[in-house]
Amino acid sequence: MTVPLITLGVTCYNAVDTIARAILSASRQDWPNKEIIIVDDASTDTSRAAIEEFVGCDPTIRVIQHPVNRGLAGALNTIVNEARGEFIAFFDDDDESVPERLEAQWSRIVKYERANGCKLVLCYSNRNVVRRGGDRPHHIARAIGRQEPEPHGPIVADYLLGLGRDRQFAWGLFGSCTLMARRETFLGVGPFDETFRSCAEWDFAIRAAFMGTHFIAVDKPLVTTYKTAGADKAGNVPLKFALQLRTKYKDYLSQRHAYWSSRAIAFHNFYGSKGRKWRSRAYLGLACLASPFFLYDRLSSRIRPGFFRSVQP
């Protein structure tokens, strides 16, 4: 069987301290037919110099420099547009992937396509999470679709927007840092929305869900995520774009009588992640008051306890 070309897309912005590790993990992938595209998103530190050290050592590497900063969504779009591979796998500038990552995700996608006769598939993986300042994994973050039955279609959009989840499916985390799919899938769903400096991968997944996409994962930690600081994570930035996500899908949420409750859940998740428990609980209460549908969904026996801890836009 012909081994398909896989494009490894490495995004970089002001990551001089971590980009070498990310590039090495891409170069050391044991997949025999690959290309590596590194997008430097107009870094203002010496990241570009660190990247150039690898160019002459690995002929599969191409470097693209953005003249202005476009954010993660813009870097991902450049990778998709410039990719020559049949498949694309994304690598964050502060993460590290195991050498067998491409093999594991490619195999998962192909087997799932054959078994289910579907064309739109997004494949993630579990990941080790190293807290800021740490040197070893603190916990394993488990991905959506890591076990049967894997969710697909609009119910995934509902999950991301905080409307609940059907307990029969394997729910979990998203994130571009573990994402791999066919290039034609990325093109079919459309570009990442560059108005989002955070949550762009959530918006992409919601649009994919409305198209009937299947969400699957490798049930192993193929990526180690090192928690680092960044402009897209600072202050109220995650909350700002979580609310922008609700605004973008206001018509859909309003049809479900869940727009205001979904916004309240965005506040609930944000304050919960900051350890502000009482404020988080207050917004949870507001979500229940804002929507009878939401309250019923929370009380339904098909919703597992701990739902709110599992969704953190």
Side-chain angles (χ1 to χ4, degrees):
M1 182 177 63
T2 302
V3 178
L5 176 65
I6 298 179
T7 297
L8 289 65
V10 183
T11 59
C12 177
Y13 177 66
N14 287 353
V16 65
D17 293 331
T18 61
I19 189 61
R21 180 178 61 206
I23 296 173
L24 281 173
S25 77
S27 295
R28 291 170 177 171
Q29 290 296 302
D30 55 18
W31 189 260
N33 190 16
K34 64 180 183 289
E35 66 166 357
I36 300 172
I37 297 177
I38 304 171
V39 176
D40 180 31
D41 193 27
S43 293
T44 57
D45 64 1
T46 56
S47 293
R48 182 58 191 265
I51 293 171
E52 291 295 340
E53 293 184 9
F54 291 89
V55 174
C57 302
D58 189 338
T60 67
I61 291 178
R62 282 191 287 150
V63 181
I64 299 173
Q65 177 90 30
H66 282 175
V68 296
N69 180 265
R70 292 167 52 188
L72 176 61
L76 297 177
N77 286 335
T78 295
I79 290 167
V80 173
N81 292 334
E82 296 291 332
R84 300 167 183 160
E86 183 179 345
F87 293 82
I88 299 173
F90 295 130
F91 287 62
D92 275 6
D93 58 20
D94 52 3
D95 291 348
E96 184 175 17
S97 295
V98 298
E100 62 271 21
R101 175 186 166 186
L102 298 186
E103 167 66 31
Q105 289 190 285
W106 175 83
S107 178
R108 178 80 163 103
I109 292 171
V110 171
K111 289 179 181 178
Y112 187 86
E113 289 174 338
R114 290 172 180 168
N116 295 276
C118 55
K119 293 184 178 180
L120 294 176
V121 178
L122 297 179
C123 182
Y124 303 85
S125 80
N126 297 343
R127 46 185 151 153
N128 292 314
V129 178
V130 178
R131 288 185 168 180
R132 194 175 305 171
D135 57 2
R136 63 183 63 186
H138 176 266
H139 65 277
I140 295 176
R142 305 193 183 279
I144 185 172
R146 63 191 177 277
Q147 299 173 351
E148 297 181 350
E150 299 85 345
H152 63 277
I155 59 170
V156 179
D158 290 349
Y159 171 72
L160 284 167
L161 292 168
L163 302 189
R165 61 179 182 177
D166 188 326
R167 67 180 303 165
Q168 70 174 304
F169 296 107
W171 299 103
L173 297 180
F174 294 72
S176 59
C177 65
T178 70
L179 177 58
M180 178 173 168
R182 291 184 181 272
R183 182 171 185 264
E184 64 184 28
T185 297
F186 288 110
L187 294 175
V189 175
F192 290 86
D193 187 340
E194 296 185 29
T195 66
F196 285 90
R197 288 290 174 139
S198 177
C199 294
E201 61 268 45
W202 284 57
D203 171 67
F204 180 85
I206 289 171
R207 287 186 282 120
F210 286 143
M211 296 175 64
T213 298
H214 292 242
F215 294 78
I216 68 174
V218 175
D219 195 13
K220 295 180 180 179
L222 302 180
V223 175
T224 296
T225 294
Y226 294 86
K227 292 291 187 178
T228 56
D232 60 337
K233 307 169 188 175
N236 291 336
V237 171
L239 176 61
K240 172 186 174 181
F241 290 103
L243 294 174
Q244 180 175 313
L245 193 70
R246 273 73 177 177
T247 301
K248 181 170 183 176
Y249 297 100
K250 182 176 181 179
D251 289 345
Y252 175 75
L253 289 167
S254 296
Q255 291 171 5
R256 305 290 299 277
H257 306 288
Y259 175 66
W260 292 108
S261 61
S262 181
R263 286 179 65 87
I265 286 302
F267 281 96
H268 164 73
N269 290 332
F270 174 74
Y271 287 116
S273 69
K274 299 294 184 181
R276 302 173 70 174
K277 295 182 180 179
W278 288 108
R279 182 165 289 193
S280 177
R281 290 169 183 170
Y283 277 104
L284 175 58
L286 287 174
C288 292
L289 290 173
S291 171
F293 166 82
F294 180 84
L295 178 60
Y296 171 80
D297 207 36
R298 302 283 72 74
L299 297 176
S300 172
S301 60
R302 68 185 177 86
I303 302 300
R304 285 186 286 189
F307 166 74
F308 299 105
R309 293 191 298 273
S310 67
V311 182
Q312 293 288 330

